[in-house]
Amino acid sequence: MDRHAQQDDPRFTGKSDTMEAKDLGIGRRSFEPGARSAWHSHDKGQLIFVEQGRARTQKKGQAMKELALGESDYTGPNVVHWHGATPGDRFVQVAVSFGGEIKWLQKTTDDEIQRENEIAVVESRQSRSRRLTVDGVNCRPLTLDSRL
């Protein structure tokens, strides 16, 4: 029996087991200021962690996010995205993949990223403006059930 799985292990409260990690891939990559990946997706998702510098990442159809030292971002399976360094900072990422394949798509362009970000921001603002507020509290709008 694995001693780490014992319930009286002094390092854990309750039962905690070591799990197989054979499908995990871990890599480290550096990006010079402004460098970034092409659009791509991962069959089983990816987690990136900012080891040094500042990063930018964007999922297709969503606003771009900036990540600072120590922050991370998870991208789910088959979600098209890119990631790289901010224009003014070098970025070192630690990436964890969960197996499967990477599907590489076209390179990102400054114009495309700007356009994607503007569309996502406008859609987000429109979504917020449709929210109902009563006495400063956000409320969900009522919907009619067609079965009534």
Side-chain angles (χ1 to χ4, degrees):
M1 176 185 222
D2 180 2
R3 78 172 199 82
H4 300 295
Q6 296 174 5
Q7 289 191 16
D8 62 350
D9 188 320
R11 299 170 300 164
F12 302 95
T13 298
K15 188 173 191 271
S16 176
D17 294 319
T18 301
M19 296 176 63
E20 179 60 52
K22 66 179 175 145
D23 292 336
L24 295 180
I26 299 175
R28 179 184 281 138
R29 175 175 292 274
S30 69
F31 294 82
E32 291 303 313
R36 60 185 176 255
S37 71
W39 289 102
H40 64 285
S41 64
H42 303 263
D43 284 350
K44 297 186 177 182
Q46 180 188 43
L47 175 67
I48 61 169
F49 172 80
V50 180
E51 182 179 20
Q52 293 176 22
R54 291 188 64 78
R56 285 184 170 174
T57 184
Q58 184 175 29
K59 295 167 180 70
K60 196 81 162 163
Q62 295 183 20
M64 183 173 29
K65 288 197 309 189
E66 284 202 9
L67 303 172
L69 179 67
E71 293 183 324
S72 62
D73 185 69
Y74 174 73
T75 301
N78 301 309
V79 174
V80 174
H81 67 287
W82 64 266
H83 41 90
T86 61
D89 294 286
R90 184 171 176 267
F91 161 50
V92 175
Q93 77 173 18
V94 174
V96 179
S97 60
F98 302 94
E101 299 293 321
I102 300 172
K103 182 178 180 184
W104 289 101
L105 305 167
Q106 73 278 6
K107 284 189 172 185
T108 56
T109 67
D110 292 338
D111 289 342
E112 178 185 28
I113 289 171
Q114 185 65 30
R115 189 172 50 253
E116 280 282 326
N117 198 47
E118 287 171 359
I119 290 168
V121 168
V122 167
E123 288 175 354
S124 176
R125 284 182 185 148
Q126 289 172 343
S127 174
R128 282 196 307 264
S129 70
R130 287 190 295 262
R131 293 182 184 149
L132 175 62
T133 303
V134 177
D135 293 330
V137 176
N138 287 330
C139 302
R140 292 178 137 189
L142 295 175
T143 56
L144 294 178
D145 188 333
S146 61
R147 296 174 292 174
L148 294 178

